Amino acid sequence: MVDFFGNGLCVHCHLARNELMSFALFNKQTEGIWKSKDDNLQDELNEILEKYPEKSHEDITDSYSWDLHLNQYKYPSLHRESLIITIFNFFEHQLNSLCKILYESIGSSLKIKDINGQGVERALLFLTKVAKIDFSAFGSEMPVIKGVNLVRNVIVHNGGQLPDDSNSKVNKFVTNSEYLFGIEGRYINIGSDFIEFFIDVLLGFFERLGHEVEKHIQIHDT
């Protein structure tokens, strides 16, 4: 009989959710830092503008433009792009680890490396075809995960620049997203609420996946 506690299957999705919550806290704290820095800089600029005639305001504001750019766009963008890559890599690793556990628990002759494809799509295919995990009730999580995978690829392989084709899948995903912005051929702009939104999606995914894993355990623990 398989020891589902010993191989980690019983707690796999629970631990994944805990780690995602730590990402959420990190994101909230970091976003707060950039917001605070920007607010302080704006207050400093406003105080200076009050002391000088209006004809000097444009030059004064220009002298602050780079620092404002860093706090409002550059640093937050680096943070958000980095977290998309980190969180998606974590997600892919969790799925691959789950595939390995399930492969051993069901005694399958088919390993994940034997499945066509790569990354998250290959792991999901293994879970569906080999481990018989039912994703039919997962709802909106799957389209978001697939869309973020496209965004991640744009960041990693194209420096964040969207394709020129307006009909490309990633451009359509960005257009239909509430927290992503950008047009074909230009750089993607990740809204301040996107990371929190994506983590919430993955939390829901692992909650549903946990229920499916429980069913798997009940079937094979007899």
Side-chain angles (χ1 to χ4, degrees):
M1 182 177 295
V2 179
D3 181 3
F4 292 111
F5 283 99
N7 67 12
L9 185 59
C10 285
V11 296
H12 187 86
C13 292
H14 174 73
L15 294 178
R17 283 173 53 84
N18 284 349
E19 187 68 11
L20 285 169
M21 290 177 190
S22 72
F23 285 135
L25 179 59
F26 170 74
N27 174 64
K28 182 178 180 179
Q29 292 175 340
T30 307
E31 288 286 350
I33 290 172
W34 301 129
K35 180 65 167 59
S36 178
K37 285 181 175 292
D38 184 52
D39 289 344
N40 292 338
L41 192 62
Q42 292 279 6
D43 290 342
E44 179 183 319
L45 175 58
N46 290 334
E47 288 179 6
I48 293 175
L49 292 177
E50 290 176 358
K51 298 176 181 178
Y52 290 88
E54 189 172 344
K55 64 180 182 180
S56 303
H57 286 189
E58 184 175 353
D59 289 338
I60 294 172
T61 302
D62 285 345
S63 70
Y64 275 79
S65 61
W66 179 245
D67 288 333
L68 289 170
H69 169 73
L70 292 178
N71 288 335
Q72 293 175 357
Y73 179 75
K74 184 67 174 182
Y75 292 153
S77 294
L78 286 172
H79 161 72
R80 293 163 197 166
E81 289 185 1
S82 298
L83 263 188
I84 285 178
I85 295 170
T86 299
I87 292 171
F88 208 89
N89 286 353
F90 166 78
F91 177 62
E92 181 177 331
H93 174 69
Q94 292 302 306
L95 291 186
N96 286 335
S97 298
L98 180 60
C99 288
K100 181 179 179 181
I101 295 172
L102 289 173
Y103 157 77
E104 294 173 350
S105 70
I106 63 179
S108 172
S109 60
L110 197 64
K111 298 181 180 180
I112 186 173
K113 67 179 182 180
D114 300 321
I115 302 293
N116 289 330
Q118 58 185 355
V120 168
E121 290 187 2
R122 181 175 66 175
L124 292 173
L125 189 59
F126 178 92
L127 292 173
T128 302
K129 300 297 184 182
V130 180
K132 306 302 180 184
I133 298 295
D134 183 11
F135 289 103
S136 63
F138 277 53
S140 62
E141 292 97 344
M142 302 305 291
V144 173
I145 289 169
K146 291 179 180 180
V148 176
N149 192 19
L150 298 174
V151 171
R152 172 196 170 277
N153 290 340
V154 163
I155 294 171
V156 172
H157 302 297
N158 206 38
Q161 186 175 10
L162 294 166
D164 292 326
D165 183 7
S166 60
N167 291 319
S168 69
K169 291 181 179 179
V170 66
N171 281 332
K172 289 182 177 179
F173 178 71
V174 170
T175 298
N176 293 324
S177 174
E178 184 178 357
Y179 307 115
L180 296 174
F181 312 94
I183 59 175
E184 59 271 15
R186 304 295 294 272
Y187 289 94
I188 191 169
N189 184 5
I190 303 164
S192 59
D193 294 323
F194 181 77
I195 299 298
E196 180 181 359
F197 162 74
F198 183 46
I199 290 175
D200 284 343
V201 168
L202 293 184
L203 286 171
F205 175 89
F206 278 109
E207 182 177 5
R208 294 179 187 272
L209 184 57
H211 296 322
E212 291 301 315
V213 168
E214 289 174 5
K215 295 178 185 177
H216 171 90
I217 292 174
Q218 290 173 0
I219 293 172
H220 291 84
D221 193 26
T222 57

